[in-house]
Amino acid sequence: MSAAPNDPEHRSLARRSTSVGSTERIGESLAPHLRAGDVISLTGPLGAGKTRLVAGLARGLGSRSRVRSPSFTLVNEYRGRVLLLHLDLYRVEPWDAVSLGLQEELERGALVAEWGEKLPSSLRAECLEVGFEIVSDHERSLTACASRGRGLELLGAWGGLGAEESEARR
């Protein structure tokens, strides 16, 4: 997670997902809170469910598009109430991410980035970061954290979601 645990404003909230559908429902429940300019950073191993969370976000925004990981295209766009820009930085070096013009893209919609730890620090400053951990074949732990601004607002929305299980931490 990018937010420093010793930061007095750092907050985190963990949720458990016991299925692909559960992960998608978490994203779908968060979607109504998104607006243009928001940044969500997704971190965690391959196969942890990052793309499934994005599928839920897209559906919750009213997109009818099939969500796929943009590993080779770099960015997929999903049109809905808010344009969702789905970015995959797996094949991008962190120093190359700075030159992608992402700040300008935020004027058009909300950005959700897989391998978000590679985002420029200016974009992570007020983001909601969601870390994925594989607990078992079907169970995932999703820990959201933020330290200021819009990220804290989205974390508050995350805390009010109807997920299967949650554990608040400071």
Side-chain angles (χ1 to χ4, degrees):
M1 300 282 174
S2 64
N6 58 357
D7 180 340
E9 291 300 310
H10 175 80
R11 304 274 190 278
S12 66
L13 182 71
R15 298 198 168 283
R16 296 267 182 202
S17 172
T18 57
S19 68
V20 168
S22 173
T23 300
E24 290 183 3
R25 283 189 299 278
I26 292 170
E28 192 171 357
S29 296
L30 183 61
H33 304 279
L34 290 181
R35 63 184 188 215
D38 285 343
V39 177
I40 300 176
S41 168
L42 307 179
T43 62
L46 288 169
K50 296 181 293 290
T51 303
R52 300 304 359 124
L53 185 77
V54 176
L57 287 168
R59 187 171 51 248
L61 290 170
S63 176
R64 299 173 86 130
S65 299
R66 182 170 178 235
V67 173
R68 298 177 190 188
S69 182
S71 295
F72 295 101
T73 59
L74 196 59
V75 178
N76 288 339
E77 295 184 1
Y78 305 108
R79 300 210 177 273
R81 180 185 59 77
V82 172
L83 176 66
L84 186 63
L85 302 159
H86 179 198
L87 179 68
D88 187 325
L89 296 174
Y90 182 71
R91 300 182 189 288
V92 176
E93 295 299 330
W95 56 84
D96 289 334
V98 174
S99 64
L100 294 176
L102 298 174
Q103 192 67 43
E104 293 80 23
E105 292 296 310
L106 287 174
E107 295 172 9
R108 298 187 322 121
L111 176 82
V112 59
E114 295 188 39
W115 308 97
E117 65 272 18
K118 295 182 180 184
L119 282 170
S121 59
S122 61
L123 293 179
R124 290 194 329 262
E126 291 194 22
C127 80
L128 176 69
E129 184 172 334
V130 181
F132 288 73
E133 179 185 345
I134 298 172
V135 177
S136 69
D137 286 347
H138 301 288
E139 189 174 1
R140 305 294 189 258
S141 176
L142 286 67
T143 302
C145 74
S147 59
R148 63 184 173 160
R150 187 64 182 140
L152 282 175
E153 291 175 29
L154 289 171
L155 184 63
W158 177 273
L161 302 180
E164 293 179 30
E165 182 181 327
S166 66
E167 173 187 328
R169 286 185 278 179
R170 177 157 197 225

